[in-house]
Structure formats: structure tokens, C-alpha cells
């Protein structure tokens, strides 16, 4: 159990270091490479939080080796030296036995592990139940859209995107912003209001783009990582960044073939949907067209100022290779022994 706990902590440390490197590196690529590329670059960091894959020699493993001789490490994990607990009654009489201090002190690690397990389980159950409650509540009021013109627009978009799976279209009075719901089966839910043909087109192409690139699965994977690494403060900033980049990436992909006028109309649709007060809002459960005024302003700035970016395929390839190499070298604690030579840091 203690070894598993070490692996978990090492994954959190390793991924945190990778995320900090990403944040330092990000200003250099933010305006040069597409937002979708940056969005999926974050996936490498999420996988580092999740996968215990590590070489036999790693930076994180070596960090554990450097600190394992400290008293704090030994107190937490219970890896101390055996000490004598003997009472001397006279010159030749001794009563007592040897005890391992580390085993007594290691109880801290055991308690911490069970605390982590309980909190992680509660968080995951809470997120799943909130999703189910939100979905059931929306489903109880939604009405299937049978207007042939609206269904034709959705059908043409799905055909253009080569989406073969049937997507169902509904409307609900409980929402003010369109939503993509469901995991195994996806539903697009529209607010109960009159939309122009162009507004409907922009809304549907946005939500089907989320579906096309499996953003819902990405979002749930982020939620799983948050539940596992709830003790790491960086995970909450990463979650916020992933949610934000998801929408920027979707907008970028939607308008990639748009004219300036069409991009402007798409931005106007975002503003139109923001004008209505949201009745229900659950970020865990869905992918909404709009979230907040500040986010929409940033997305509009990005839409209107975005120029067609060149395909920096070589740069993108180099960056991916660098991050995969860092993913590998950072590694994690390996059960048994995982380290770099100490001279690596000298």
C-alpha cells in the first residue's frame, strides 16, 4: 500500500513539473500554433498524472531517492532504522526488545492513503451523481424537435463531418445555452427560443464539432484526474485551462473555413446566447456553447483577430517530441528502485 502511495505522489509531482514547463513554454507557441494543438498538448500532461509508466531511471524516481534519507520522509513512510527499547536494571540484567521506529511512524502514510482513497471516492461519486441528476432533470422536460428544416440542417452538418451516428435534437425550457449531453449516446439540447437559420447552423456546427473530436470523453477524463489528484492545487488550474482551451479549440475548428463575415455572425451568435440568463448550469455534465461574459469576450477576440495560421508541422512535431521525451524522463517512482545517478543533479 505504501509503495502504491509513493507511485501516486510521484505521478502528481512528475505531471506538475511537466505542467509548469508547459506554462513557461506556452507564451512562445500561443500565437504561433493552433489552439487545438495546444489543447491536445495538455492531454500529454493528463496522461502523466494517470499512467504509472516509467523507465527504470527517471528524474522523479531520483528525487524520491534524494529525500528518502530525510527525517520527514522516514516519519511519513515509516522507513527508519531499527532502534533499541531496552531498560537496564543492573550491571547484567536487561529487559526489553528491539522495535522499528519506522513502523510506528509509517502510520501517517497509512492514514494519508486512506484519507486520499475516501476523498477521491466521494468526489467521483458526487460528480457522477450530479451528472445523472442534471441529465434526468433536463430529460424530464425536453421535447423532441421534429421540425424538418431544423433536422435537415443537422443532417447536412453530420453528413459534411462524416458523422454516421444518429444525433437527436431536443429543446428544453430549463436552459438558455445549447448543450451537448450524453456519453454513449449524444443529444443536442436547445433552449426554448426562436433562432434564425444561421444561428441554428452555427450552434449545431459548434456542438457537432465537440462530438466529432470526443471532447466529452476528454472532459470526463479531466474530471477523473481531478478526483485522483484532488490534493494537488495545480490540478484545479489545469482543469480550468482544459475547459477554456476546449472552447477555443472548438471555435478555431468551426471557423477555419469561414469568411470574416461568417466568423462575425458566429461571434454574434455567442453574444446572443449569452444575453439570456442561464437557468441551469453544470460544467461536469455538458459542453455548453457559452459559459461566462468574460470567456465569451476572450473567444470573440480570438475569433475576430485570428488569421489563418500556417501549418507549422515541423515545429508541432518537434514540440510533441520534446513533451513526450519529458514525459518519459520525468517518469515516476518505480516499485523496487527508480532513480537517476546522483551525478545527474551535480
Amino acid at each position: 500500500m505504501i509503495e502504491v502511495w509513493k507511485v501516486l505522489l510521484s505521478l502528481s509531482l512528475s505531471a506538475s513539473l511537466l505542467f509548469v514547463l508547459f506554462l513557461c513554454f506556452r507564451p512562445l507557441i500561443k500565437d504561433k500554433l493552433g489552439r487545438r494543438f495546444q489543447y491536445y498538448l495538455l492531454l500529454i500532461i493528463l496522461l502523466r498524472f494517470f499512467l504509472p509508466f516509467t523507465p527504470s531511471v527517471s528524474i522523479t524516481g531520483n528525487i524520491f531517492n534524494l529525500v528518502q534519507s530525510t527525517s520527514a520522509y522516514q516519519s511519513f513512510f515509516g522507513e527508519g532504522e531499527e532502534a533499541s527499547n531496552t531498560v537496564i536494571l543492573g550491571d547484567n540484567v536487561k529487559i526489553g526488545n528491539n522495535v522499528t521506529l519506522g513502523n510506528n511512524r509509517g502510520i501517517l502514510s497509512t492514514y494519508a492513503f486512506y484519507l486520499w482513497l475516501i476523498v477521491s471516492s466521494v468526489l467521483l461519486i458526487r460528480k457522477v451523481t450530479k451528472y445523472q441528476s442534471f441529465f434526468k432533470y433536463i430529460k424530464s422536460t425536453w421535447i423532441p424537435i421534429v421540425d424538418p428544416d431544423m433536422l435537415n440542417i443537422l443532417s447536412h452538418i453530420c453528413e459534411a463531418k462524416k458523422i454516421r451516428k444518429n444525433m437527436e435534437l431536443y429543446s428544453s425550457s430549463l436552459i438558455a445555452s445549447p448543450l451537448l449531453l450524453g456519453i454513449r449516446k449524444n443529444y443536442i439540447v436547445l433552449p426554448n427560443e426562436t433562432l434564425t437559420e444561421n444561428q441554428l447552423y452555427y450552434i449545431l456546427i459548434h456542438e457537432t464539432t465537440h462530438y466529432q473530436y470526443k471532447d466529452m470523453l476528454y472532459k470526463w477524463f479531466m474530471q477523473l484526474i481531478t478526483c485522483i489528484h484532488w490534493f494537488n492545487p495545480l490540478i484545479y488550474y489545469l482543469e480550468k485551462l482544459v475547459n477554456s482551451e476546449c472552447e477555443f479549440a472548438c471555435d478555431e475548428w468551426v471557423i477555419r473555413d469561414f469568411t470574416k463575415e461568417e466568423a462575425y455572425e458566429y461571434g454574434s451568435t455567442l453574444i446572443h446566447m449569452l444575453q439570456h440568463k442561464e437557468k441551469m448550469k453544470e460544467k461536469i455534465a455538458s459542453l455548453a456553447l457559452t459559459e461566462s461574459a468574460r470567456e465569451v469576450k476572450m473567444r470573440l477576440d480570438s475569433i475576430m483577430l485570428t488569421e489563418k495560421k500556417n501549418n507549422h508541422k515541423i515545429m508541432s512535431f518537434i514540440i510533441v517530441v520534446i513533451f513526450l521525451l519529458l514525459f518519459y524522463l520525468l517518469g515516476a517512482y518505480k516499485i523496487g528502485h527508480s532513480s537517476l545517478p546522483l551525478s545527474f543533479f551535480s
Side-chain angles (χ1 to χ4, degrees), residues 176-274:
S177 180
L179 301 175
L180 177 66
L181 290 172
I183 298 177
R184 288 182 299 177
K185 188 175 182 180
N186 292 96
Y187 310 89
I188 297 176
V189 187
L190 304 176
N192 277 343
E193 65 171 279
T194 303
L195 299 170
T196 67
E197 185 175 322
N198 283 345
Q199 287 174 337
L200 179 63
Y201 172 78
Y202 294 132
I203 288 170
L204 294 180
I205 199 171
H206 178 95
E207 301 302 340
T208 52
T209 298
H210 276 310
Y211 169 80
Q212 185 180 18
Y213 289 99
K214 310 301 180 186
D215 289 335
M216 185 69 77
L217 294 179
Y218 193 156
K219 190 165 187 176
W220 271 106
F221 183 50
M222 179 72 248
Q223 295 301 317
L224 176 62
I225 298 299
T226 303
C227 293
I228 294 173
H229 294 273
W230 56 266
F231 55 86
N232 187 337
L234 281 177
I235 201 70
Y236 302 102
Y237 181 60
L238 176 58
E239 180 186 16
K240 182 179 178 181
L241 188 59
V242 165
N243 288 335
S244 175
E245 288 301 314
C246 177
E247 295 305 324
F248 279 107
C250 186
D251 290 338
E252 181 183 77
W253 196 256
V254 167
I255 68 170
R256 72 193 189 282
D257 296 322
F258 281 7
T259 63
K260 281 289 184 182
E261 290 73 19
E262 289 172 330
Y264 178 81
E265 285 189 49
Y266 176 76
S268 298
T269 301
L270 296 181
I271 295 173
H272 174 77
M273 300 314 301
L274 188 67

Side-chain angles (χ1 to χ4, degrees), residues 3-13 116 228-229 231:
E3 293 293 287
V4 173
W5 187 219
K6 288 181 182 179
V7 172
L8 178 67
L9 293 176
S10 71
L11 286 174
S12 201
L13 173 62
W116 164 80
I228 294 173
H229 294 273
F231 55 86

Side-chain angles (χ1 to χ4, degrees), residues 49-304:
F49 271 106
F50 187 72
L51 297 177
F53 168 77
T54 182
S56 57
V57 172
S58 71
I59 295 173
T60 303
N62 195 66
I63 292 174
F64 269 72
N65 287 337
L66 287 173
V67 301
Q68 68 182 356
S69 60
T70 64
S71 59
Y73 183 96
Q74 292 176 4
S75 295
F76 186 74
F77 289 109
E79 296 179 357
E81 296 293 332
E82 195 172 66
S84 175
N85 188 26
T86 301
V87 178
I88 301 176
L89 298 179
D91 291 338
N92 299 314
V93 181
K94 298 180 180 181
I95 299 176
N97 63 310
N98 291 335
V99 297
T100 302
L101 295 178
N103 289 339
N104 294 333
R105 293 180 294 178
I107 198 69
L108 293 174
S109 179
T110 302
Y111 286 154
F113 179 81
Y114 285 123
L115 175 63
W116 164 80
L117 186 62
I118 292 170
V119 175
S120 295
S121 301
V122 169
L123 287 174
L124 184 59
I125 292 171
R126 180 174 177 271
K127 288 179 185 294
V128 172
T129 53
K130 282 183 69 177
Y131 166 78
Q132 291 175 332
S133 298
F134 179 85
F135 185 86
K136 288 179 180 178
Y137 192 43
I138 296 295
K139 190 175 182 179
S140 67
T141 63
W142 73 18
I143 301 171
I145 293 178
V146 294
D147 187 319
D149 292 333
M150 298 176 73
L151 294 176
N152 280 337
I153 293 174
L154 177 60
S155 177
H156 288 319
I157 291 173
C158 289
E159 185 178 351
K161 290 181 173 292
K162 298 180 180 179
I163 297 175
R164 295 182 176 86
K165 195 171 182 180
N166 184 39
M167 299 189 72
E168 298 181 16
L169 196 59
Y170 294 88
S171 65
S172 172
S173 59
L174 296 178
I175 62 172
S177 180
L179 301 175
L180 177 66
L181 290 172
I183 298 177
R184 288 182 299 177
K185 188 175 182 180
N186 292 96
Y187 310 89
I188 297 176
V189 187
L190 304 176
N192 277 343
E193 65 171 279
T194 303
L195 299 170
T196 67
E197 185 175 322
N198 283 345
Q199 287 174 337
L200 179 63
Y201 172 78
Y202 294 132
I203 288 170
L204 294 180
I205 199 171
H206 178 95
E207 301 302 340
T208 52
T209 298
H210 276 310
Y211 169 80
Q212 185 180 18
Y213 289 99
K214 310 301 180 186
D215 289 335
M216 185 69 77
L217 294 179
Y218 193 156
K219 190 165 187 176
W220 271 106
F221 183 50
M222 179 72 248
Q223 295 301 317
L224 176 62
I225 298 299
T226 303
C227 293
I228 294 173
H229 294 273
W230 56 266
F231 55 86
N232 187 337
L234 281 177
I235 201 70
Y236 302 102
Y237 181 60
L238 176 58
E239 180 186 16
K240 182 179 178 181
L241 188 59
V242 165
N243 288 335
S244 175
E245 288 301 314
C246 177
E247 295 305 324
F248 279 107
C250 186
D251 290 338
E252 181 183 77
W253 196 256
V254 167
I255 68 170
R256 72 193 189 282
D257 296 322
F258 281 7
T259 63
K260 281 289 184 182
E261 290 73 19
E262 289 172 330
Y264 178 81
E265 285 189 49
Y266 176 76
S268 298
T269 301
L270 296 181
I271 295 173
H272 174 77
M273 300 314 301
L274 188 67
Q275 290 173 347
H276 303 275
K277 185 177 180 181
E278 186 108 17
K279 298 176 182 177
M280 289 198 67
K281 190 175 185 179
E282 180 50 67
K283 291 186 178 182
I284 294 175
S286 61
L287 286 161
L289 183 71
T290 57
E291 292 289 352
S292 66
R294 182 175 178 273
E295 182 192 271
V296 169
K297 182 182 183 302
M298 292 171 62
R299 288 168 63 184
L300 288 174
D301 290 341
S302 179
I303 290 168
M304 300 315 299

